[in-house]
Amino acid sequence: QQQVKQSPQSLIVQKGGISIINCAYENTAFDYFPWYQQFPGKGPALLIAIRPDVSEKKEGRFTISFNKSAKQFSLHIMDSQPGDSATYFCAASMGGAQKLVFGQGTRLTINP
Amino acid sequence: NAGVTQTPKFRVLKTGQSMTLLCAQDMNHEYMYWYRQDPGMGLRLIHYSVGEGTTAKGEVPDGYNVSRLKKQNFLLGLESAAPSQTSVYFCASSTPTGGRAGEQFFGPGTRLTVL
């Protein structure tokens, strides 16, 4: 039962380019959509998150675009840098215990 | 603040052995979670707790038990380890209130191999 589907599984982008990762969800009760960044051997860390009352949120080079009607959201990394090379996970949760449902992950490689 | 810490970092078990993974957080968070991470499957919730003395099942609870006797600690137990439990285990914590409500803070993980 995969409630959050993420694509692509892997992505290679040139330095300075735009990295785009997409996610789709099924449960319309979800009300919190975070993106986590994970480096090898480390735990995931929150990168940016959005709630469904807005369609876009930007923090520095990172932007979440949210399409409630299509039940999709995406992460855009502008001016991608080699230090952005990591695995990215989208997730979704709803109120109560705030349990996260994760996508399968995207391994992003930024070539210098 | 140490945040979320996990013990041990690595462990190798034989099939049928038991072990306990310890998670501790110093952020006074009410909620705590245990996830497992397997290649190509993201993180999946095993068990969670919304307060001291309470626990509940997540998506993949079979073969695991948990206890939350103290607010800052959340223990994950494997009573009889199986090769299918080979994985990386992450603990996380969060608070339902305040400016960072809903944000889960993760520990560094425990890499478990069951032979």
Side-chain angles (χ1 to χ4, degrees), chain B residues 86-111:
Chain B
T86 294
S87 187
V88 182
Y89 292 86
F90 288 101
C91 176
S93 70
S94 71
T95 177
T97 60
R100 302 186 79 168
E103 177 182 350
Q104 291 191 17
F105 294 80
F106 284 80
T110 295
R111 183 174 295 275

mmCIF file of all heavy atoms in Angstrom, chain B residues 86-111:
data_model
loop_
_atom_site.group_PDB
_atom_site.id
_atom_site.type_symbol
_atom_site.label_atom_id
_atom_site.label_comp_id
_atom_site.label_asym_id
_atom_site.label_seq_id
_atom_site.Cartn_x
_atom_site.Cartn_y
_atom_site.Cartn_z
ATOM 1 N N THR B 86 16.777 -7.493 8.577
ATOM 2 C CA THR B 86 17.993 -6.782 8.206
ATOM 3 C C THR B 86 17.591 -5.453 7.580
ATOM 4 O O THR B 86 16.861 -5.421 6.587
ATOM 5 C CB THR B 86 18.824 -7.610 7.226
ATOM 6 O OG1 THR B 86 19.309 -8.780 7.874
ATOM 7 C CG2 THR B 86 19.997 -6.799 6.682
ATOM 8 N N SER B 87 18.048 -4.357 8.174
ATOM 9 C CA SER B 87 17.595 -3.043 7.729
ATOM 10 C C SER B 87 18.370 -1.972 8.480
ATOM 11 O O SER B 87 19.195 -2.262 9.354
ATOM 12 C CB SER B 87 16.095 -2.897 8.000
ATOM 13 O OG SER B 87 15.579 -1.700 7.447
ATOM 14 N N VAL B 88 18.091 -0.729 8.145
ATOM 15 C CA VAL B 88 18.564 0.399 8.931
ATOM 16 C C VAL B 88 17.360 0.955 9.677
ATOM 17 O O VAL B 88 16.327 1.257 9.068
ATOM 18 C CB VAL B 88 19.215 1.492 8.066
ATOM 19 C CG1 VAL B 88 19.721 2.622 8.954
ATOM 20 C CG2 VAL B 88 20.359 0.917 7.238
ATOM 21 N N TYR B 89 17.507 1.089 10.979
ATOM 22 C CA TYR B 89 16.405 1.524 11.827
ATOM 23 C C TYR B 89 16.633 2.961 12.291
ATOM 24 O O TYR B 89 17.713 3.300 12.783
ATOM 25 C CB TYR B 89 16.269 0.597 13.037
ATOM 26 C CG TYR B 89 15.809 -0.788 12.634
ATOM 27 C CD1 TYR B 89 16.719 -1.753 12.231
ATOM 28 C CD2 TYR B 89 14.456 -1.116 12.627
ATOM 29 C CE1 TYR B 89 16.301 -3.008 11.835
ATOM 30 C CE2 TYR B 89 14.024 -2.374 12.232
ATOM 31 C CZ TYR B 89 14.954 -3.308 11.832
ATOM 32 O OH TYR B 89 14.529 -4.551 11.429
ATOM 33 N N PHE B 90 15.598 3.772 12.116
ATOM 34 C CA PHE B 90 15.661 5.165 12.534
ATOM 35 C C PHE B 90 14.591 5.460 13.568
ATOM 36 O O PHE B 90 13.440 5.050 13.426
ATOM 37 C CB PHE B 90 15.469 6.103 11.345
ATOM 38 C CG PHE B 90 16.647 6.142 10.409
ATOM 39 C CD1 PHE B 90 16.623 5.426 9.235
ATOM 40 C CD2 PHE B 90 17.755 6.909 10.724
ATOM 41 C CE1 PHE B 90 17.706 5.459 8.373
ATOM 42 C CE2 PHE B 90 18.844 6.946 9.861
ATOM 43 C CZ PHE B 90 18.826 6.212 8.683
ATOM 44 N N CYS B 91 15.002 6.197 14.566
ATOM 45 C CA CYS B 91 14.079 6.721 15.555
ATOM 46 C C CYS B 91 13.863 8.202 15.257
ATOM 47 O O CYS B 91 14.774 8.880 14.751
ATOM 48 C CB CYS B 91 14.670 6.538 16.951
ATOM 49 S SG CYS B 91 13.692 7.252 18.288
ATOM 50 N N ALA B 92 12.693 8.703 15.557
ATOM 51 C CA ALA B 92 12.396 10.113 15.360
ATOM 52 C C ALA B 92 11.500 10.602 16.486
ATOM 53 O O ALA B 92 10.839 9.808 17.166
ATOM 54 C CB ALA B 92 11.718 10.353 14.008
ATOM 55 N N SER B 93 11.501 11.918 16.678
ATOM 56 C CA SER B 93 10.609 12.503 17.678
ATOM 57 C C SER B 93 10.029 13.797 17.138
ATOM 58 O O SER B 93 10.592 14.417 16.222
ATOM 59 C CB SER B 93 11.340 12.748 18.991
ATOM 60 O OG SER B 93 12.283 13.805 18.862
ATOM 61 N N SER B 94 8.891 14.187 17.693
ATOM 62 C CA SER B 94 8.263 15.442 17.276
ATOM 63 C C SER B 94 7.372 15.966 18.396
ATOM 64 O O SER B 94 7.091 15.269 19.365
ATOM 65 C CB SER B 94 7.438 15.250 16.000
ATOM 66 O OG SER B 94 6.258 14.505 16.250
ATOM 67 N N THR B 95 6.952 17.200 18.243
ATOM 68 C CA THR B 95 6.011 17.800 19.168
ATOM 69 C C THR B 95 4.795 18.276 18.387
ATOM 70 O O THR B 95 4.934 18.722 17.247
ATOM 71 C CB THR B 95 6.643 18.971 19.935
ATOM 72 O OG1 THR B 95 5.646 19.562 20.785
ATOM 73 C CG2 THR B 95 7.167 20.044 18.992
ATOM 74 N N PRO B 96 3.589 18.183 18.963
ATOM 75 C CA PRO B 96 2.382 18.632 18.254
ATOM 76 C C PRO B 96 2.109 20.115 18.398
ATOM 77 O O PRO B 96 1.169 20.630 17.812
ATOM 78 C CB PRO B 96 1.278 17.813 18.912
ATOM 79 C CG PRO B 96 1.767 17.601 20.298
ATOM 80 C CD PRO B 96 3.263 17.479 20.205
ATOM 81 N N THR B 97 2.947 20.815 19.167
ATOM 82 C CA THR B 97 2.686 22.223 19.443
ATOM 83 C C THR B 97 3.915 23.069 19.122
ATOM 84 O O THR B 97 5.029 22.572 18.983
ATOM 85 C CB THR B 97 2.306 22.442 20.922
ATOM 86 O OG1 THR B 97 3.398 21.984 21.742
ATOM 87 C CG2 THR B 97 1.061 21.661 21.290
ATOM 88 N N GLY B 98 3.674 24.375 18.995
ATOM 89 C CA GLY B 98 4.784 25.284 18.766
ATOM 90 C C GLY B 98 5.108 25.478 17.300
ATOM 91 O O GLY B 98 4.485 24.890 16.411
ATOM 92 N N GLY B 99 6.139 26.306 17.064
ATOM 93 C CA GLY B 99 6.500 26.673 15.706
ATOM 94 C C GLY B 99 6.998 25.531 14.852
ATOM 95 O O GLY B 99 6.935 25.587 13.623
ATOM 96 N N ARG B 100 7.496 24.492 15.471
ATOM 97 C CA ARG B 100 8.037 23.361 14.699
ATOM 98 C C ARG B 100 7.151 22.122 14.879
ATOM 99 O O ARG B 100 7.621 20.997 14.770
ATOM 100 C CB ARG B 100 9.483 23.094 15.109
ATOM 101 C CG ARG B 100 10.360 24.311 14.912
ATOM 102 C CD ARG B 100 11.833 24.045 15.166
ATOM 103 N NE ARG B 100 12.458 23.391 14.027
ATOM 104 C CZ ARG B 100 13.773 23.247 13.880
ATOM 105 N NH1 ARG B 100 14.575 23.706 14.816
ATOM 106 N NH2 ARG B 100 14.279 22.631 12.830
ATOM 107 N N ALA B 101 5.878 22.370 15.114
ATOM 108 C CA ALA B 101 4.936 21.261 15.273
ATOM 109 C C ALA B 101 4.910 20.406 14.027
ATOM 110 O O ALA B 101 4.840 20.920 12.907
ATOM 111 C CB ALA B 101 3.537 21.810 15.556
ATOM 112 N N GLY B 102 4.949 19.104 14.215
ATOM 113 C CA GLY B 102 4.876 18.178 13.100
ATOM 114 C C GLY B 102 6.210 17.811 12.494
ATOM 115 O O GLY B 102 6.314 16.801 11.791
ATOM 116 N N GLU B 103 7.239 18.605 12.762
ATOM 117 C CA GLU B 103 8.549 18.293 12.198
ATOM 118 C C GLU B 103 9.168 17.147 12.975
ATOM 119 O O GLU B 103 9.326 17.228 14.187
ATOM 120 C CB GLU B 103 9.492 19.495 12.257
ATOM 121 C CG GLU B 103 10.895 19.198 11.746
ATOM 122 C CD GLU B 103 11.822 20.388 11.851
ATOM 123 O OE1 GLU B 103 11.335 21.497 12.150
ATOM 124 O OE2 GLU B 103 13.043 20.196 11.631
ATOM 125 N N GLN B 104 9.526 16.092 12.284
ATOM 126 C CA GLN B 104 10.151 14.962 12.948
ATOM 127 C C GLN B 104 11.661 15.100 12.865
ATOM 128 O O GLN B 104 12.226 15.343 11.792
ATOM 129 C CB GLN B 104 9.675 13.649 12.330
ATOM 130 C CG GLN B 104 8.207 13.361 12.620
ATOM 131 C CD GLN B 104 7.770 11.960 12.249
ATOM 132 O OE1 GLN B 104 8.581 11.070 12.062
ATOM 133 N NE2 GLN B 104 6.459 11.765 12.163
ATOM 134 N N PHE B 105 12.298 14.908 14.008
ATOM 135 C CA PHE B 105 13.753 14.948 14.116
ATOM 136 C C PHE B 105 14.259 13.510 14.208
ATOM 137 O O PHE B 105 13.823 12.755 15.080
ATOM 138 C CB PHE B 105 14.170 15.733 15.362
ATOM 139 C CG PHE B 105 13.817 17.184 15.293
ATOM 140 C CD1 PHE B 105 12.532 17.626 15.562
ATOM 141 C CD2 PHE B 105 14.774 18.129 14.946
ATOM 142 C CE1 PHE B 105 12.191 18.965 15.493
ATOM 143 C CE2 PHE B 105 14.452 19.473 14.886
ATOM 144 C CZ PHE B 105 13.165 19.883 15.153
ATOM 145 N N PHE B 106 15.183 13.167 13.334
ATOM 146 C CA PHE B 106 15.651 11.790 13.237
ATOM 147 C C PHE B 106 16.995 11.579 13.912
ATOM 148 O O PHE B 106 17.848 12.476 13.929
ATOM 149 C CB PHE B 106 15.769 11.372 11.765
ATOM 150 C CG PHE B 106 14.448 11.072 11.122
ATOM 151 C CD1 PHE B 106 13.628 12.095 10.674
ATOM 152 C CD2 PHE B 106 14.013 9.761 10.987
ATOM 153 C CE1 PHE B 106 12.393 11.824 10.082
ATOM 154 C CE2 PHE B 106 12.791 9.476 10.394
ATOM 155 C CZ PHE B 106 11.985 10.503 9.954
ATOM 156 N N GLY B 107 17.177 10.369 14.431
ATOM 157 C CA GLY B 107 18.464 9.952 14.946
ATOM 158 C C GLY B 107 19.379 9.508 13.819
ATOM 159 O O GLY B 107 18.970 9.479 12.655
ATOM 160 N N PRO B 108 20.607 9.098 14.139
ATOM 161 C CA PRO B 108 21.587 8.720 13.116
ATOM 162 C C PRO B 108 21.404 7.321 12.548
ATOM 163 O O PRO B 108 22.042 6.956 11.570
ATOM 164 C CB PRO B 108 22.919 8.826 13.852
ATOM 165 C CG PRO B 108 22.569 8.551 15.276
ATOM 166 C CD PRO B 108 21.208 9.131 15.489
ATOM 167 N N GLY B 109 20.533 6.528 13.172
ATOM 168 C CA GLY B 109 20.255 5.200 12.641
ATOM 169 C C GLY B 109 21.055 4.087 13.287
ATOM 170 O O GLY B 109 22.134 4.306 13.845
ATOM 171 N N THR B 110 20.492 2.882 13.218
ATOM 172 C CA THR B 110 21.154 1.640 13.640
ATOM 173 C C THR B 110 21.109 0.679 12.463
ATOM 174 O O THR B 110 20.027 0.371 11.959
ATOM 175 C CB THR B 110 20.449 0.994 14.840
ATOM 176 O OG1 THR B 110 20.559 1.837 15.978
ATOM 177 C CG2 THR B 110 21.068 -0.369 15.150
ATOM 178 N N ARG B 111 22.287 0.239 12.044
ATOM 179 C CA ARG B 111 22.341 -0.725 10.934
ATOM 180 C C ARG B 111 22.374 -2.125 11.518
ATOM 181 O O ARG B 111 23.311 -2.486 12.213
ATOM 182 C CB ARG B 111 23.569 -0.475 10.068
ATOM 183 C CG ARG B 111 23.650 -1.389 8.847
ATOM 184 C CD ARG B 111 24.811 -1.010 7.946
ATOM 185 N NE ARG B 111 24.640 0.311 7.357
ATOM 186 C CZ ARG B 111 23.960 0.561 6.251
ATOM 187 N NH1 ARG B 111 23.380 -0.441 5.588
ATOM 188 N NH2 ARG B 111 23.879 1.781 5.778
#
